[in-house]
């Protein structure tokens, strides 16, 4: 008994040596002692880790207690201990958990350091007994260290770790003591400080002689670890938000039911603790994560969410070590959901770098999401992303917010794809989450906003630039509105990339806005024949209504990307009825070979394979298909004929112009289309290598009863006496459009057309194209007469009769035009007249014509430039005709052919001043130049009806463009004037050539030697040949006739000349003169001159846009101010010449060239002065004595 007392005294004296203070007894809320046996004067051992929490949360603890805790933490001593012989204490867990106070060292990601020996206040066990949720003995393991058994206690705020159940029962009365001892002891068990082994055990972070705690609010995830071991493992990941340090702990249990119990308790307790705590993510963490997301162009304050997660590194069991858990240890980080991407943001490591490099942050496009899977029994979840033609990236994650993350991803994806009825990813969540999840359809003010939003999202997911994709929407066509994809905005890229095309096509899926889709002229070769072997999530299996496509699943999955995307577009939209793929596929099919052994399989263009089977199965509403410019092979024709033979297909039109069809294929198509005789409205066979036999063609074409459009452009015919299309067949149709361009028509065909045009059945005809059909003026006159219904009333039809033999029977044609027999729209391009008088007759007839409102007589060809008399006729046409609303007088400026009316056209343009009807005037490629621009400027000052003036490609200089813009100061009707981009480019190239000509001008030869010792700083130009840069510019640019000879220059520069105008020559005796730096412009000066010219053009273009915007608002009925802001500042009084431009460049240039010039001069002068004789050494002598006086500038 005395021995025990002695031992206790030793322990008490050790505590006093370590500056221990008595612990105040813990009392209950009513002030009574919680433990009847406890005494305020009794010394108790303080724990080696901070205070174990009571039922009261940390944020509600008394200020006095918190102050005492902080003071104790700051003054805790360090105890140096010897190595322990117990392996359990030395090989402690790298991730052993302890509480993180405000001043504690944070837990590292991979290791946990042993804490210093500290003792704090311990609350009475009864306080903890009320809050214990679960307790039990588990086996913990971390890193490469050995496993050990610990006793864990879970309260509603913390996880407490004890070495044994005995130690836990000392703090919690609800936990039974396995030895049956009473907890009411006089003293706590404290190891002896005299024992090295006990001191090591006390100081070790894995020692059972201490208690440690983990706040539940710091837990990130609790999840299983399936590592193939013969036990069941739970991993707990936690993060200190303030310190941004993370760690984890593994619990190994031998029974799966026990593991599940611990999982449920830990998950529920962590969720409740986080909910009651209510602390948000610290501001500095949010700010850094937002910066990382913004650096990826994906940040929006209204669409930004940040979550704490743990990345699970799944590793397969290799059987090498049963204790190797580090290979499957998780890494704590953040998951940010932005506008279009998911970002994995690592923790901010302040000690390593002020800012993590961008490479550490990984981003995944939300549109690449292929799978969302939430594990119901723990906090684990999986996200899978896959870009086209790439392998999937699977993220094994865990988080207490796994359900919130999944729901947020679902909402963001729904907002990015609001029109989609089927999701291209799997969404596996617990039934409770799926039952409560309700979709909210977004409301869009703009009907096309969903397309833009989806297209941008796909572009961001596929790492392409959305600004490179251009499209227009046509509202004035059939099946409007029509989506039309335009060429890329990047001029360096001639075609779209594979990912850009996929982004466009997938954004158009399920879109019910467009009645037609046009990819005309867009190269789709990158998709044709390309397969994606890594995934099938974007393969479409059902229509928008949910009907399954009755095709084999393997066929749907094995098809090329082009076939898959076109099928998806055709079946996912009920409104789309027309698809245009003209000139989208290049290449020719294999040549026709009747030898089966040597025959090469035709892969087809892909478009026919995608659409026609769907039409046959009635899985799509697309019934107008354009395949113009695509060479079709036998495989494509098989798909077409198979679908056309079925009457249920209901095809409206097949366009196959320039498809390389021969006579056999052409006949097969016409015969195969008989099944569509009640629905086929249009046929397009222009430009194919077929010879029409009128008798056979009549029998094939006459079966179609609802034909509206027939195009037979450039189709040769067999010479015979029969008409190409009999009048009976034409009268049986209700044609809207008939094109016979570049097709020779015999007399019987002309008579059949005349009968048809005179018939009331032709009232629906709106377009008749007969250009280059071999018609004479007399034939055209007969056709015009047959169109007349009532005298003086024009027919609402467009007639194109360009490039015909109009000179034959010209008088009849002119008489018909003057009599008003023409329709409302007439095109007469490429008129060729050997006699200019005939052209004047036509102009005179057009002047008195009262039926034409649209006239195109562009690119006329005359023997020479138009004479003054012809220009007067044109002037009267522009001034006196009161029915023309649109006129095209453009010329042609091609390499092989030029068609212009000459400079006399400037006089004819004066007639527009008196025109009160014309709204659109086109006059391009006529080389109007400065004079023409000034004439048009004068016209705009007086004309009050013109809405559009197309005058680009006329070599109009900057001064002319400025005059045109200035004329809009009081013109309030013009809403279109070109910005003259081609003139701007030409002017820049011309300026560059002229400035370089000045720079490269040969330097005048050196003067003859002067007498010995005569060195002049300002020699006479007649002797030295030097001249100023201004004179050289004036001689080179002003005359526009090349460099002038030195003899024509001025005698010499004045004293006030520019610093660049100085020239020096140094000679010594009879020796050769020393060459000095020449006067020339640097590359920097040339760039400065070009920049000034470009800025001048840009300034005028800005003024033009301001004026046109003002006029458009006036046209729309808005009240606007006629004066443009900053007009007085932007409007130049005059445009300077190239000489003034270079003077400005020299005045604003840096002194680099002058410094080089002066340094060279000084070096040459010093060398000459050193070798000078004594006669020239007097410093007071003048320049005539041979002394060179260097002025202050030098």
């Amino acid at each position: 008994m005395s021995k025990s007392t002695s031992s206790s005294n030793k322990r008490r004296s050790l505590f006093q040596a370590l500056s221990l203070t008595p612990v105040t007894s813990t009392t209950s809320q009513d002030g009574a002692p919680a433990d009847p046996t406890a005494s305020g004067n009794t010394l108790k051992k303080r724990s080696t880790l901070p205070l174990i929490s009571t039922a009261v949360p940390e944020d509600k603890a008394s200020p006095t207690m918190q102050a005492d805790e902080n003071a104790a933490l700051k003054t805790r001593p360090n105890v140096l201990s010897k190595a322990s012989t117990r392996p359990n204490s030395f090989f402690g867990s790298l991730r052993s958990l302890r509480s993180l106070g405000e001043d504690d060292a944070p837990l590292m990601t991979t290791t946990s350091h042993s804490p210093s020996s500290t003792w704090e206040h311990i609350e009475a066990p009864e306080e903890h007994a009320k809050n214990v949720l679960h307790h039990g003995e588990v086996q913990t393991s971390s890193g490469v260290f050995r496993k050990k058994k610990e006793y864990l206690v879970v309260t509603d705020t913390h996880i407490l770790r004890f070495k044994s159940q005995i130690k836990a029962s000392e703090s919690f009365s609800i936990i039974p003591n396995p030895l049956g001892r009473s907890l009411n002891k006089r003293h706590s068990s404290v190891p002896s400080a005299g024992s090295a082994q006990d001191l090591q055990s006390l100081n070790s972070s894995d020692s059972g002689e201490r208690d440690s705690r983990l706040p539940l609010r710091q837990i990130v995830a609790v999840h299983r670890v399936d590592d193939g071991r013969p036990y069941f493992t739970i991993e707990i990941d936690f993060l200190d938000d303030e310190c941004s340090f993370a760690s984890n702990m593994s619990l190994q249990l031998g029974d799966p039911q026990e593991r599940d119990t611990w999982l449920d308790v830990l998950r529920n307790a962590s969720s409740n603790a986080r909910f009651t705590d209510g602390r948000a993510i610290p501001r500095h963490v949010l700010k850094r994560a937002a910066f990382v997301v913004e650096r990826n162009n994906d940040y929006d304050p209204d669409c930004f969410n940040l979550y704490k997660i743990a990345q699970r590194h799944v590793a397969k069991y290799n059987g090498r070590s049963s204790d190797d858990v580090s290979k499957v240890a998780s890494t704590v980080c953040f998951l940010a959901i932005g506008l279009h991407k998911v970002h994995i943001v690592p923790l901010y490591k302040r000690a390593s770098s002020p800012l993590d490099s961008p490479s550490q942050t990984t981003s995944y496009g939300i549109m690449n999401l292929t799978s969302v899977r939430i594990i119901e029994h723990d906090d684990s979840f999986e996200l899978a992303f896959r870009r086209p033609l790439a392998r999937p990236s699977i993220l094994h994650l865990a988080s207490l917010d796994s359900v919130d993350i999944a729901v947020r991803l679902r909402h963001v994806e729904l907002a990015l794809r609001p029109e989609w009825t089927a999701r291209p990813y799997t969404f596996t969540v617990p039934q409770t989450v799926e039952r409560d999840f309700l979709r909210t359809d977004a409301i869009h003010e703009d009907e096309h906003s969903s397309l833009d939003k989806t297209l941008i999202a796909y572009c961001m997911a596929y790492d392409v630039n959305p600004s490179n994709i251009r499209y227009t929407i046509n509202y004035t066509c059939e099946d409007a509105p029509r989506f039309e994809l335009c060429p890329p905005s990047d001029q360096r890229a001639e075609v779209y990339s594979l990912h850009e095309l996929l982004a466009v096509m997938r954004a158009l899926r399920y879109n019910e806005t467009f009645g037609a889709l046009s990819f005309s002229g867009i190269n789709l070769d990158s998709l044709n024949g390309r397969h994606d072997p890594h995934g099938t999530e974007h393969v479409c299996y059902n229509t928008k209504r949910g009907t399954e496509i009755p095709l084999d699943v393997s066929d749907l999955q094995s098809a090329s990307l082009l076939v898959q995307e076109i099928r998806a577009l055709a079946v996912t939209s009920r409104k789309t009825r027309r698809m245009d793929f003209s000139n989208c596929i290049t290449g020719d099919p294999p040549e026709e070979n009747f030898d089966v052994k040597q025959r090469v399989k035709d892969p087809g263009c892909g478009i026919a394979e995608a659409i026609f089977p769907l039409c046959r199965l009635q899985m799509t509403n697309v019934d107008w298909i354009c395949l113009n410019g695509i060479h079709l092979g036998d495989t494509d024709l098989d798909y077409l004929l198979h679908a056309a033979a079925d009457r249920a297909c209901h095809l409206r039109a097949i366009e196959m112009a320039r498809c390389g069809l021969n006579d056999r294929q052409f006949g097969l198509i016409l015969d195969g289309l008989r099944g569509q005789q009640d629905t086929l409205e249009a046929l397009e066979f222009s430009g194919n290598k077929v010879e029409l036999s009128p008798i056979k063609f009549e029998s094939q074409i006459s079966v179609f009863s609802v034909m509206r459009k027939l195009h037979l452009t450039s189709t040769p015919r067999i010479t015979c006496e029969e008409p190409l299309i009999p009048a009976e067949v034409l009268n049986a149709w209700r044609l809207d459009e008939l094109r016979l361009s570049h097709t020779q028509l015999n007399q019987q065909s002309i008579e059949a057309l005349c009968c048809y045009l005179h018939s009331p059945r032709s009232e629906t005809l709106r377009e008749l194209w007969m250009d280059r059909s071999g018609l004479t003026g007399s034939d055209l006159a007969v056709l015009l007469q047959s169109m007349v219904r009532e005298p003086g009333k024009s027919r609402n039809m467009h007639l194109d009769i360009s490039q015909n033999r109009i000179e034959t029977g010209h008088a009849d044609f002119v008489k018909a035009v003057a009599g008003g027999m023409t329709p409302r729209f007439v095109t007469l391009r490429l008129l060729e007249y050997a006699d200019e008088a005939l052209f004047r007759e036509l102009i005179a007839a057009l002047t008195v014509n009262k039926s034409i409102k649209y006239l195109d007589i562009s690119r006329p060809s005359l023997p020479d430039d138009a004479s003054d008399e012809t220009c007067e006729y044109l002037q009267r046409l522009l001034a006196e005709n009161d029915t023309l609303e649109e006129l095209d007088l453009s010329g042609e400026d091609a390499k092989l052919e030029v068609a212009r009316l000459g400079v006399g056209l400037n006089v004819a343009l004066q007639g527009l001043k008196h025109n009160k009807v014309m709204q659109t005037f086109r006059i391009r490629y006529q080389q109007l130049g400065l004079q023409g621009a000034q004439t048009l400027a004068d016209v705009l000052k007086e004309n009050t009806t013109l809405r559009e003036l197309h005058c680009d490609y006329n070599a109009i200089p900057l001064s002319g463009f400025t005059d045109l813009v200035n004329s809009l100061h009081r013109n309030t009707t013009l809403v279109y004037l070109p910005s003259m981009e081609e003139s701007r480019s030409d002017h820049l190239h011309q300026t560059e050539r002229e400035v370089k000509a000045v720079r490269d001008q040969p330097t005048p030869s050196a003067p003859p030697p002067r007498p010995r010792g005569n060195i002049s700083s300002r020699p006479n130009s007649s002797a030295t040949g030097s001249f100023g840069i201004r004179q050289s510019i004036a001689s080179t640019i002003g005359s526009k006739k090349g460099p002038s000879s030195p003899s024509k220059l001025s005698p010499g520069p004045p004293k006030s000349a520019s610093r660049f105008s100085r020239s020096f020559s140094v000679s010594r005796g009879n020796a050769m003169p020393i060459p000095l730096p020449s006067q020339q412009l640097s590359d920097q000066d040339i760039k400065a001159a070009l920049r000034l010219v470009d800025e001048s053009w840009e300034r005028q273009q800005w003024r033009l846009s301001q004026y046109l915007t003002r006029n458009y608002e006036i046209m729309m009925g808005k009240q606007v101010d006629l004066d443009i802001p900053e007009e007085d500042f932007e409007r130049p009084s005059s445009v300077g010449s190239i000489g003034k431009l270079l003077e400005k460049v020299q005045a604003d240039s840096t002194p680099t060239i002058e410094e080089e010039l002066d340094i060279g001069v000084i070096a040459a002068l010093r060398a000459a002065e050193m070798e000078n004789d004594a006669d020239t050494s007097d410093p007071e002598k003048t320049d005539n004595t041979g002394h060179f006086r260097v002025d202050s500038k030098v």
Side-chain angles (χ1 to χ4, degrees), residues 836-853:
E836 189 173 346
L838 298 178
F839 181 67
R840 288 195 294 268
E841 293 178 3
L842 177 61
I843 298 300
L846 292 172
T847 303
V848 299
N849 183 277
K850 301 299 181 182
S851 61
I852 300 177
K853 291 189 175 182

Side-chain angles (χ1 to χ4, degrees), residues 878-879 881 912-918 942-945:
L878 297 176
N881 188 289
L912 287 173
K913 294 181 179 180
H914 311 287
N915 193 292
K916 304 300 181 182
V917 179
M918 191 172 298
E942 300 184 22
N943 187 283
T944 59
T945 58

